[in-house]
Amino acid sequence: MDSKDIRAQFLEFFKSKSHKIVPSAPIVVQNDPTLMFTNAGMNQFKDYFLGNKTPDSNRVADTQKCLRVSGKHNDLEEVGLDTYHHTMFEMLGNWSFGDYFKKEAIEWAWEFLTEVCGLPEDRMYATVFEGDEKENLEADEEARSYWKKLIPESRILNGNKKDNFWEMGDTGPCGPCSEIHIDLRTEDEVKKVSGRDLVNNDHPLVVEIWNLVFMQFNRLADGSLKNLPQQHVDTGMGFERLAMAVQGKQSNYDTDVFQPIIQSIAKRAGVTYGVDTKTDIAIRVISDHIRAISFTIADGQLPGNAKAGYVIRRILRRAVRYGYTFLDFKEPFLTDLVGQLADQFKETFPELDAQRAFVAKVIREEEVSFLRTLDKGLRRFEIIKAETKGRVIDGKTAFELYDTYGFPLDLTSLIARENGLSVDEKAFQAEMLIQKERSKSAAEQSTGDWISVMEAEASVFLGYEHLEAEARITRYREVKQKKGSFYQIVLDQTPFYAESGGQVGDSGVLANASESIAVFDTKKENDLIVHYTKTLPKDLKATFTAKVNVQKRLLTENNHSATHLLHAALRTVLGEHVQQKGSLVNEEVLRFDFSHFAKVTDEEIAKVEAIVNKKIRENIALDERRNVPIEEAKSLGAMALFGEKYGEFVRVITFDRNYSVELCGGTHVPATGHIGLLKIVSESSVAAGVRRIEAITADKAEAFVDQELEILKGIKELLKNPADPKKAIVSLIEEKNQLQKQIDELNQQQGSALKKDLINQIEEINGIKVITQEVKLPDANVLKQLSFELKNEVPNLVAVLAANLNEKPMLSVILDDALVQKLGLNASEMVRAMAKEIQGGGGGQPFYATAGGKELAGLSKALEIGKKIIYEKLKS
């Protein structure tokens, strides 16, 4: 079976078991502060496990894009070195939310692997949780009993808490698990050593293929375990490993999942994969990393300098570095692989195919940038090599290469070995630890467990219709950090909009007759609406009136609706390739990031503004439709944003069906006339292929226009109110340029005349021509030009000029190049010694240097010092 068939058969199998097949969630996680990336298939279902949300179906299956490069689940450093770890991978999974449990999960997994995939039963092993006394957890005898009906007991192995108790992170849903491992070694190897002795021992061909997790507990912040409201099943099977087993390969990279890309890389490099270990590792790294980079960018995460963006940039640079070092790729190469990858996955993950040009552009710009940095880093290494005493590069220096030039330690070590050096790796790690602790300290906070106040269903959002509502607290928790603590509160119902889709969260108050608590922000955590307060109400069980800050909400709505109008206008003016890549909407400003490969011209901005303001004047009524089936919404022309997770039913916001139709959960004006006016105040680049527009609306836009008109009025008054102010200013500029040209010519004449006088005053000592004079000149440019003209016309010259530049002191020392070596003179050292007399400083090159200062009266003394240095050198 090829990989497409394997994937299809998995989904079809669980569909036959009454599972609903759902699409993969984006690889970039939103509204979950505990994760940057989807690192397991269960991430998108976490709220079902916690009881915060009721699933549409109790049985679900999918293939999920996952990324493991940070945090607890971090496989990055193993990728490429072995044949079974990956950064981005697909996780096939089936879930039960309070429905079936261990029996069905185990039996169906075995049925699929043995009957559908045809994998050999005698090569597979099952592990079960052996229990843990410290946690007071019993052995999973229930799972063992089901396995005993399927396989011999000799192939059922005990697993400790590390291997057989699955936890998503430090807190959250968890439970015992039962792993299925497969032995893919040859018959000869199996006869020598039993597979059961190699399970969970990092053998490349005795690998875990499927993990059946039985979610029973929630790990609290204090480390204790609490039973979940219901028992769930969460299974995850590595698609790439399954393909390796089904296709009878000895490496994930030998399957048809990777081979097309691998062969493309090898062909470009002019090597044969499977011949040389070093080039093989490089090719595996690149073939893995291009997947992670491409899919993550397609899901909305651009490479950057912080958080998720930095992780992607690090992966990209790791791939470039391997290509540069081992495959001699000195030009961008990753970008050329995007199209092939998009073709391979367009049926399963069409988002990459839809954005292939954009993704390739972003990757290319990142490659070009890092190749320049890499080149600079290698030049820096040459200096380090020359300065290194002994044979060991110290840890601080190695860390500088890492921190400034993006050189991983293994790259620095490799280059060092090639030059007969080594690196103090312990000292490097110490520097790395200092940086991590610094970052950790800066962001350190501890979040307590939720404390339940009353039982309630998920919080109901009322904010589309109401700006205040009666509400009760269902749960709360405290968040402690260095700058002070705050509280997070969940209400049974709320008018407060939680930050999402670029729109900031509401602020306001929770009030009753006894007290008023300020809500300074509202955010989403998974599907919870969380209100942020500095204090807790005295009576947590009281009923409150939740009141939104109306002025902030209305101004924010102006900007949000204007963003929709702006998006449509940009597509009209620039083209259908324009797609939203990020936004920020608050009461002050709207910021809109979009895909476009060139600067938006002033003419284009004017056209966009004109279209948006026309739509505002038309006072188009908001057409809001909720619970629209996703396919129906798309048929209406609604634009789905890449990287967003949409359910089966969506909310559609329309301002003129022939103009702007978008899927959106934010709040909006009832009609476009409320926006008043839109004014674009800036346009800039955010990243390769991504532009940013900032704009203001309503009162702020009017104030901006008034201010600009006031400035124009002032200019016209200064110009004596000409009929055409622009023409008058152009005339003034031309007049200024003509006058400046005349001044430059006069300065040049003055310099030429002074040059002749200085040449006539040359003093010759032992064949060396010496000029030491005080001069008066208009500016530093004339002084520099005079110095170099003297050098070019007078051989064997040493010239020291102490200049009065419009009552500001300046020194110039220029030497014939040959005299620098011959006499041991150094212009930079001379000028620094002289500059003390004018209370200044300076420097330059050995043959030419200048210094400025504050004390004009010190010029004569400075000149005397210069003369003394020259005469001592010439007479010695």
Side-chain angles (χ1 to χ4, degrees), residues 254-542:
D254 290 340
T255 67
D256 67 332
V257 178
F258 286 97
Q259 274 300 303
I261 291 288
I262 281 176
Q263 294 306 323
S264 292
I265 298 166
K267 183 178 179 181
R268 181 184 179 113
V271 301
T272 301
Y273 181 71
V275 172
D276 179 81
T277 301
K278 288 183 179 179
T279 58
D280 284 357
I281 289 173
I283 291 171
R284 286 198 293 269
V285 166
I286 294 165
S287 66
D288 172 273
H289 287 9
I290 186 60
R291 289 161 31 109
I293 299 159
S294 299
F295 281 110
T296 309
I297 293 173
D299 273 352
Q301 179 57 63
L302 297 173
N305 290 324
K307 297 182 179 178
Y310 178 72
V311 173
I312 301 309
R313 178 167 283 168
R314 181 184 172 201
I315 296 172
L316 189 150
R317 290 184 168 189
R318 189 172 188 261
V320 172
R321 190 266 296 186
Y322 268 95
Y324 184 98
T325 304
F326 299 105
L327 301 176
D328 200 31
F329 290 158
K330 299 300 189 281
E331 299 293 332
F333 62 94
L334 290 173
T335 184
D336 297 332
L337 300 172
V338 174
Q340 183 178 354
L341 196 66
D343 288 339
Q344 181 180 341
F345 285 95
K346 63 184 175 183
E347 294 174 9
T348 310
F349 305 121
E351 57 273 20
L352 180 56
D353 182 51
Q355 301 179 89
R356 62 168 70 199
F358 170 72
V359 172
K361 175 75 172 177
V362 172
I363 290 174
R364 180 179 177 79
E365 292 299 318
E366 282 289 321
E367 285 189 273
V368 169
S369 174
F370 183 54
L371 284 167
R372 283 198 299 264
T373 303
L374 197 56
D375 188 55
K376 289 177 184 176
L378 291 172
R379 289 202 298 270
R380 173 65 183 135
F381 186 87
E382 289 302 311
I383 296 171
I384 291 169
K385 182 174 71 172
E387 294 176 347
T388 298
K389 297 176 181 178
R391 312 308 302 167
V392 180
I393 297 173
D394 66 85
K396 282 190 176 181
T397 302
F399 186 77
E400 175 206 335
L401 285 169
Y402 165 79
D403 201 35
T404 306
Y405 300 99
F407 275 35
L409 177 60
D410 54 353
L411 175 59
T412 303
S413 299
L414 173 67
I415 300 169
R417 285 196 301 273
E418 291 173 351
N419 289 272
L421 302 170
S422 62
V423 178
D424 186 343
E425 295 191 9
K426 285 187 178 180
F428 173 89
Q429 297 298 345
E431 291 294 321
M432 180 72 84
L433 184 62
I434 290 171
Q435 186 191 60
K436 285 180 179 178
E437 289 299 324
R438 193 184 299 122
S439 300
K440 183 180 177 182
S441 176
E444 192 170 355
Q445 70 174 36
S446 62
T447 303
D449 292 318
W450 287 111
I451 297 174
S452 178
V453 177
M454 60 173 278
E455 291 298 321
E457 295 293 325
S459 183
V460 178
F461 177 60
L462 306 172
Y464 292 138
E465 292 87 9
H466 305 286
L467 292 177
E468 67 175 67
E470 296 301 300
R472 298 177 66 190
I473 296 171
T474 62
R475 65 175 87 175
Y476 72 92
R477 67 184 179 190
E478 184 178 8
V479 180
K480 296 179 180 179
Q481 52 185 14
K482 283 192 173 182
K483 58 184 179 183
S485 298
F486 61 89
Y487 295 90
Q488 296 177 332
I489 295 173
V490 177
L491 305 174
D492 61 342
Q493 58 180 17
T494 178
F496 284 76
Y497 180 80
E499 179 182 320
S500 184
Q503 180 176 338
V504 298
D506 281 331
S507 58
V509 296
L510 298 177
N512 57 23
S514 302
E515 58 185 327
S516 179
I517 303 295
V519 176
F520 65 85
D521 201 357
T522 311
K523 294 182 184 291
K524 261 189 180 179
E525 182 168 325
N526 300 301
D527 279 318
L528 288 179
I529 299 173
V530 182
H531 306 74
Y532 287 59
T533 68
K534 292 291 186 184
T535 57
L536 279 177
K538 293 172 185 174
D539 183 0
L540 291 166
K541 295 187 177 182

Side-chain angles (χ1 to χ4, degrees), residues 679-691:
K679 190 68 187 171
I680 295 172
V681 294
S682 71
E683 190 276 345
S684 60
S685 172
V686 178
V690 181
R691 308 298 298 181

Side-chain angles (χ1 to χ4, degrees), residues 747-748 750-751 777-787:
N747 287 341
Q748 190 173 1
Q750 182 183 352
L777 292 168
D779 58 47
N781 289 331
V782 176
L783 176 61
K784 181 177 181 180
Q785 183 177 343
L786 173 62
S787 299

Side-chain angles (χ1 to χ4, degrees), residues 623-634:
D623 177 4
E624 180 216 23
R625 297 177 61 190
R626 301 180 201 170
N627 298 316
V628 179
I630 183 71
E631 293 306 319
E632 180 183 336
K634 289 179 180 178

